[in-house]
């Protein structure tokens, strides 16, 4: 096995990967096993794959990693020299029409999903199909391979909206989703996929667990990333004012990438079948406006301002305002804890972006 590190040009990212590999996660359960990770060119998927490659190198675990990707050219650009690692193999396929998977697989982490709000507005049918048909294909594969554990990557958006102030949301609490709004395709499909996971557990004994992720960012974000956190970071780097297209009242729940990876792997290896777990840092709970203000003042040292430019319609596809604080006690009971606060998340992400020349 090559001794090359996973991201030599990005010291912040490499530091995070090394930290994960030395954590208290029971990686020995993965020794000499194979794992399929879908959404291999998305932030969550590639982040987990990088971490597992680091675990292999540092702990000599002999984990075989299959990365399911739709765009082979994009994958080759993102992974670069990592594709020389003999334990990593690209599986090029559309998740909706996945071809026969001829390899043995012990674990599956299903990350593939539409994540861009604009696509949810412009291509709602495709968004639903990717979620529902893709997840069914993965669960069917998991049943046929008799996997040891399956994690479905869900989202905090599946909770919907809550009217009450200071609403603390644990895994059993659900809010309202309006099915007559086109943007609801994403949270509604997440709910459906979660129920599909439970159906496969009950009918086919697929050992499913569900990870409900808060919005995740940090070192290692991908080129072309355009979600709010990346927009704010770019504004700070370039010294440009932050422009908000809403009033910014929605309450955001966030988690640093390193903490998210540890959370998902903890769920994979220590979670209970049929259970959902919030992966979020409650200390990073903040409104969009407050986060923009924090970036302008603390990250950009008051050299930029927050400006409002609100269109008449929701052409950017932003989710409805939410008022909730995700509770992560259930995951903490599995000996997981988030360790990076919001300000440090931005500082580490910006250092990572600069080292990778992401503009």
């Amino acid at each position: 096995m090559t001794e090359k590190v996973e991201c030599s040009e990005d010291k912040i990212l490499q530091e995070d990967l090394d930290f994960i590999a030395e954590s208290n996660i029971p990686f020995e359960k993965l020794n000499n096993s194979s794992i399929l990770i879908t959404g291999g060119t998305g932030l969550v998927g590639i982040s987990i794959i990088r971490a597992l490659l680091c675990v292999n190198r540092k702990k000599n675990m002999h984990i075989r990693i299959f990365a399911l990707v739709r765009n082979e050219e994009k994958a080759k650009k993102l992974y670069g020299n990592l594709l020389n690692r003999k334990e990593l193999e690209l599986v090029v396929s559309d998740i909706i029409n996945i071809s026969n998977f001829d390899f043995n697989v012990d674990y599956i982490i299903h990350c593939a999903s539409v994540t861009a709000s604009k696509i949810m507005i412009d291509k709602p049918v495709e968004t639903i199909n990717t979620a529902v048909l893709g997840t069914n294909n993965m669960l069917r594969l998991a049943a046929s391979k008799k996997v040891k554990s399956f994690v479905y990557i869900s989202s905090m958006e599946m909770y919907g909206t809550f009217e009450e102030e200071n609403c603390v949301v644990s895994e059993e609490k659900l809010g309202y989703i309006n099915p007559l709004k086109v943007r609801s395709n994403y949270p509604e499909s997440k709910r459906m996929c979660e129920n599909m996971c439970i159906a496969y557990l009950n009918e086919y004994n697929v050992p499913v667990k569900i990870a409900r992720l808060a919005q995740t960012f940090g070192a290692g974000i991908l080129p072309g990333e355009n979600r709010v956190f990346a927009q704010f970071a770019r504004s700070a780097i370039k010294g440009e004012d932050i422009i908000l297209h809403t009033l910014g009242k929605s309450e955001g729940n966030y988690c640093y990438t390193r903490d998210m990876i540890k959370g998902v792997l903890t769920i994979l290896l220590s979670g209970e079948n049929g259970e959902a777990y919030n992966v979020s840092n409650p200390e990073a709970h903040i409104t969009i406006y407050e986060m923009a203000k924090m970036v302008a003042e603390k990250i950009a040292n008051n050299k930029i301002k927050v400006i409002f430019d609100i269109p008449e319609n929701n052409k950017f596809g932003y989710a409805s305002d939410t008022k909730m604080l995700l509770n992560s006690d259930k995951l903490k009971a599995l000996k997981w804890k988030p360790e990076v606060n919001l300000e440090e998340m931005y500082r580490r992400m910006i250092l990572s972006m600069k080292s990778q020349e992401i503009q």
Side-chain angles (χ1 to χ4, degrees), residues 7 9-13 218-223 230 232-239 299-301 303 346-359:
C7 199
E9 75 278 7
D10 188 341
K11 297 187 185 306
I12 297 295
L13 174 57
I221 73 162
L222 305 180
F232 289 1
R234 287 192 181 95
S235 293
I237 292 171
K238 296 178 181 179
I299 306 299
N301 298 315
K303 294 179 181 178
Y346 266 98
R347 295 193 186 282
R348 294 182 71 83
M349 176 174 64
I350 287 173
L351 286 172
S352 174
M353 291 172 70
K354 287 180 177 177
S355 67
Q356 294 187 65
E357 298 182 348
I358 295 177
Q359 299 295 328

Side-chain angles (χ1 to χ4, degrees), residues 289-308:
Y289 170 70
E290 289 170 340
M291 185 168 71
K293 191 168 179 285
M294 184 274 290
V295 172
E297 293 177 354
K298 295 187 176 181
I299 306 299
N301 298 315
N302 283 310
K303 294 179 181 178
I304 63 176
K305 303 187 298 295
V306 179
I307 295 174
F308 293 96

Side-chain angles (χ1 to χ4, degrees), residues 18 32 43 67 73 89 91 103 138 160 173 176 190 192 215 221 238 244 249 251 266 283 294 296 305 311 315 353:
D18 291 338
N32 291 308
L43 176 61
E73 184 178 346
E89 183 169 342
V91 179
F103 311 102
M138 285 301 102
K173 187 169 186 174
Y176 173 70
K190 286 295 185 184
M192 183 69 252
Q215 191 160 83
I221 73 162
K238 296 178 181 179
L244 292 184
K249 293 181 179 180
E251 296 176 12
T266 297
E283 300 300 319
M294 184 274 290
K305 303 187 298 295
K315 67 178 181 180
M353 291 172 70

